[in-house]
Amino acid sequence: MERIVVKDYIYPSLQSPPPGLSFSDQFAFHPSSSTTAALIHLLHTVINHLQSNPYVIIYALDFSKAFDSVRHSAVLHKFSRLDIPDHIYNWVEAFFRDHSHCTKFGDKVSGFRNILASIIQGSAIGPAAYVVTASDLHPLTPGNSMHKYADDTYLVIPAANVQSCAAEIAHIEKWAKENNLLLNYSKSVEIVFVPSRTVVEPSRSLCQLFPASHESNRSRHLA
């Protein structure tokens, strides 16, 4: 049943999303998506920027336990904006509703608590639900771009927009909090792409934006 709902109703609705939601930057869990397509698109974007910029910065961002943390009310609100029949939306809402958990230690069992967050991994609808969750995460500044593969998110900023780095990271952190996600600074990495045989240092670094990071979070690549 899940596969039918995803294949026949959810995936088609992603082809014509409402204003504010976009799936063109997501390369996971929908038809014609793949890691190869994601890499090609990301590399193409970097090379194009290097035609007119001395360097390009990519922030590879990590969200801690993303699939386990997504708030149900947030993802259902986004599902309600998709062009799917009411009975399909009601089915999706019922899929997430009335789950609970308890803890057992030795011969003691706790009371039950309702589960109000998390996407069920291994289910057919879980991955599609995360794609919908991330569909309203966009860069603030024209010229910057975002590339996603599930919860792996890459923010691309050309040298011309380097002053927007702090605002973009703050915007992503705000979005994460609204969706009950946590931006993991220690596992987020800054990658600086420069043309071959060029030595350029951008004016800002990930270490300045993410206080918890260390210099090892920065790397340089030639393109």
Side-chain angles (χ1 to χ4, degrees):
M1 178 63 74
E2 289 179 58
R3 292 189 179 92
I4 292 172
V5 169
V6 171
K7 180 175 181 288
D8 293 349
Y9 295 98
I10 295 178
Y11 281 161
S13 72
L14 306 187
Q15 305 305 312
S16 54
L21 303 186
S22 175
F23 301 94
S24 60
D25 58 359
Q26 175 63 259
F27 292 89
F29 306 139
H30 65 90
S32 75
S33 64
S34 68
T35 53
T36 300
L39 289 170
I40 290 173
H41 195 267
L42 186 59
L43 181 60
H44 178 72
T45 301
V46 170
I47 291 175
N48 278 350
H49 280 315
L50 287 176
Q51 304 303 312
S52 55
N53 289 271
Y55 59 86
V56 177
I57 302 173
I58 293 183
Y59 292 107
L61 305 172
D62 179 82
F63 296 104
S64 298
K65 298 182 178 180
F67 277 69
D68 296 331
S69 304
V70 172
R71 184 178 290 114
H72 292 169
S73 59
V75 69
L76 288 173
H77 173 69
K78 296 167 192 178
F79 265 113
S80 71
R81 298 174 58 190
L82 296 177
D83 184 21
I84 56 178
D86 289 345
H87 67 279
I88 296 298
Y89 171 79
N90 291 338
W91 185 93
V92 172
E93 190 275 336
F95 180 87
F96 286 101
R97 180 175 15 99
D98 295 336
H99 293 278
S100 59
H101 70 93
C102 67
T103 300
K104 181 178 181 180
F105 182 76
D107 60 349
K108 305 294 184 181
V109 180
S110 71
F112 283 85
R113 293 286 299 272
N114 289 335
I115 298 175
L116 303 178
S118 81
I119 291 173
I120 301 173
Q121 296 192 56
S123 65
I125 199 172
Y130 189 85
V131 167
V132 173
T133 297
S135 63
D136 62 345
L137 177 59
H138 313 299
L140 291 173
T141 307
N144 296 344
S145 59
M146 201 165 283
H147 307 254
K148 307 165 189 166
Y149 192 88
D151 58 325
D152 293 329
T153 303
Y154 301 87
L155 173 65
V156 181
I157 301 179
N161 289 343
V162 69
Q163 298 303 322
S164 69
C165 291
E168 292 286 6
I169 297 300
H171 169 67
I172 293 171
E173 187 173 38
K174 179 176 180 290
W175 175 89
K177 289 180 179 178
E178 291 172 350
N179 288 272
N180 202 42
L181 297 173
L182 178 64
L183 185 57
N184 188 339
Y185 296 146
S186 64
K187 291 186 178 180
S188 297
V189 180
E190 178 193 60
I191 308 170
V192 181
F193 285 85
V194 299
S196 298
R197 297 181 297 278
T198 300
V199 178
V200 176
E201 285 293 334
S203 59
R204 282 187 170 273
S205 73
L206 183 66
C207 302
Q208 293 171 314
L209 296 178
F210 291 172
S213 300
H214 301 84
E215 190 61 29
S216 61
N217 287 91
R218 164 181 261 190
S219 61
R220 172 186 299 280
H221 291 262
L222 303 180

